[in-house]
Amino acid sequence: MPSVGQTLPLHQLGRRLRDWRDGAGYSLERAASMVPGMSQTALHRLEKGMKAKPNPRDVRAICELYGVPEDLIDGAVGLAMQAAQKDWWWHAYGGDIPEDFDVYVAQETAAESICSHQPNLIPGLLQTPSYVLSLARESLPDAEPQKLERIVEVKTHRKAILTRPKPVVMDVVISQAALHHRVGSAAIMAAQLRHLTEMTALHPNITLQVLPFEAGFPGGVSMPPFVILDFGRASDGSPIEPRTIFLENVVGGIYLRKPDDVSFYDRAYDRIKQASLDAKASQTLVTRVAKEYDRE
C-alpha cells in the first residue's frame, strides 16, 4: 500500500491521467493497448492512485499518446518520480519532525497556493535560520545541538517550495504583534524582519500584509493561526484535491476539508486581509520596526 507521503502525488497523477484520457477520447482498454507493456489493469490502478511506484517512462508514453503539452508532461513525470521514491526528504529527519507534521509537509509541498494567517509568529516558510533556532531552543531547552540543527535544516528544506521552478503562490497576513513578539535577540528580530521585506521584494509569488493593532479583531473574532492549502484544478475545472484548512496547535494538527469549514476560513481570511495594511504600507511598517530593533 502507498504510504501517507505517497498518497497525494499518486492521486494527483491519477486524476490528471484520467482527465487527459477522457479529453483525448480513449477508452481505458484502447489506451492500455497502445502503450508498450501496459495492461488495462495497470492503467486502471495508475489512474486510481493505487500504483505505489509508477514508472516515469510509462507516464510519459501515456501522456504523449494523449497529446499532452510538454510542460504538463514534465509535471506528470515529476509527480511519478516523487511518488516512486520510498521516502520523501522529510522522512530522513524522523523524530525531528513533530508527530503527524510530516503529513502537513507533504501537502504543503504539493500545494499550488498557500494562504497563511499568523497572529503571533512569522510564518514558518519565511523564518530565518536564527529565528527558527531561537524558537527551537525555547521549546526544547534540553535538546542536543545536533537536534536543533536538524530542526533548522527541515525548515530550510521546506522553504524550497517558494523558489522552485514553479513556485508556490504564498499570500500571508501577520498581525503587527508578530513583529514585536521577540524571538531571540534584537539583532535576530531585525534580520528576520529585513528578510521578510527582501523575500517579498525579490519573489512576486509572495505577498505579505500586516494587520495593524488599530484594526482590532475583524469580524469580532480573535482568529488562531491557520493555513489554507489549494492544490489547483484539473482540466475540467474541478479541484485536483480538496482545498484544505490546516490548524496547528501544541497537541497536533487538525485538517478541515468540508466545504462549510473551508468557506468559513475563506471568509475569515478575506476579512483579515481587508482590514490589513496594503503590501506597500506593510513593507514600510516592517522596515520601521526592523530599524527600531537595530537601534537597541
Side-chain angles (χ1 to χ4, degrees):
M1 290 291 293
S3 68
V4 172
Q6 290 173 300
T7 299
L8 189 61
L10 286 173
H11 285 176
Q12 287 183 320
L13 176 61
R15 175 65 176 271
R16 292 177 187 182
L17 293 178
R18 189 165 63 251
D19 286 347
W20 291 333
R21 177 172 61 78
D22 289 341
Y26 285 95
S27 67
L28 187 69
E29 180 180 11
R30 181 169 177 239
S33 70
M34 298 181 70
V35 177
M38 178 65 62
S39 69
Q40 185 174 336
T41 299
L43 183 55
H44 173 75
R45 287 175 58 80
L46 191 56
E47 290 185 355
K48 291 293 185 182
M50 298 166 60
K51 189 171 177 62
K53 294 184 179 181
N55 186 320
R57 274 183 263 174
D58 288 343
V59 171
R60 180 169 292 278
I62 293 167
C63 292
E64 290 173 348
L65 173 65
Y66 301 157
V68 177
E70 187 63 31
D71 59 333
L72 296 182
I73 292 178
D74 289 341
V77 170
L79 285 173
M81 294 174 66
Q82 193 174 61
Q85 296 174 4
K86 183 177 180 180
D87 295 304
W88 287 10
W89 63 261
W90 52 88
H91 291 181
Y93 290 89
D96 294 323
I97 294 182
E99 186 177 359
D100 294 334
F101 194 64
D102 61 338
V103 178
Y104 172 75
V105 177
Q107 299 203 29
E108 180 184 74
T109 302
E112 184 174 284
S113 65
I114 296 174
C115 294
S116 176
H117 166 248
Q118 267 290 353
N120 297 308
L121 288 169
I122 303 303
L125 292 175
L126 297 176
Q127 293 173 1
T128 63
S130 295
Y131 188 96
V132 176
L133 185 58
S134 296
L135 285 174
R137 283 173 174 160
E138 288 289 333
S139 62
L140 299 169
D142 299 323
E144 295 290 331
Q146 294 87 344
K147 182 176 179 64
L148 298 177
E149 289 172 7
R150 285 165 68 83
I151 290 173
V152 174
E153 289 176 11
V154 169
K155 192 64 65 70
T156 300
H157 272 294
R158 284 178 57 202
K159 291 192 290 187
I161 66 172
L162 297 172
T163 55
R164 65 193 181 192
K166 187 177 180 182
V168 69
V169 175
M170 188 172 187
D171 190 282
V172 176
V173 176
I174 60 174
S175 169
Q176 186 174 349
L179 307 180
H180 295 276
H181 280 302
R182 185 170 301 201
V183 174
S185 65
I188 287 173
M189 287 301 297
Q192 172 62 77
L193 299 190
R194 284 195 295 271
H195 179 69
L196 285 182
T197 60
E198 289 166 1
M199 288 295 289
T200 52
L202 292 173
H203 304 287
N205 55 305
I206 303 172
T207 302
L208 172 71
Q209 291 179 252
V210 177
L211 179 69
F213 289 133
E214 56 266 27
F217 300 97
V221 178
S222 177
M223 292 297 295
F226 63 89
V227 177
I228 305 172
L229 299 160
D230 193 301
F231 303 99
R233 294 188 172 272
S235 57
D236 63 359
S238 61
I240 291 174
E241 293 290 326
R243 294 176 75 243
T244 300
I245 308 300
F246 176 67
L247 306 175
E248 184 180 4
N249 55 57
V250 294
V251 296
I254 298 173
Y255 298 88
L256 304 175
R257 296 185 178 88
K258 292 181 180 179
D260 287 348
D261 292 333
V262 174
S263 294
F264 172 82
Y265 281 93
D266 278 338
R267 291 193 299 271
Y269 193 74
D270 286 342
R271 286 196 302 269
I272 293 168
K273 276 184 67 68
Q274 289 171 13
S276 297
L277 302 174
D278 63 24
K280 184 176 180 180
S282 296
Q283 290 273 59
T284 299
L285 175 59
V286 173
T287 299
R288 177 172 63 78
V289 178
K291 289 179 179 177
E292 291 172 2
Y293 282 118
D294 280 331
R295 287 194 290 269
E296 291 189 24

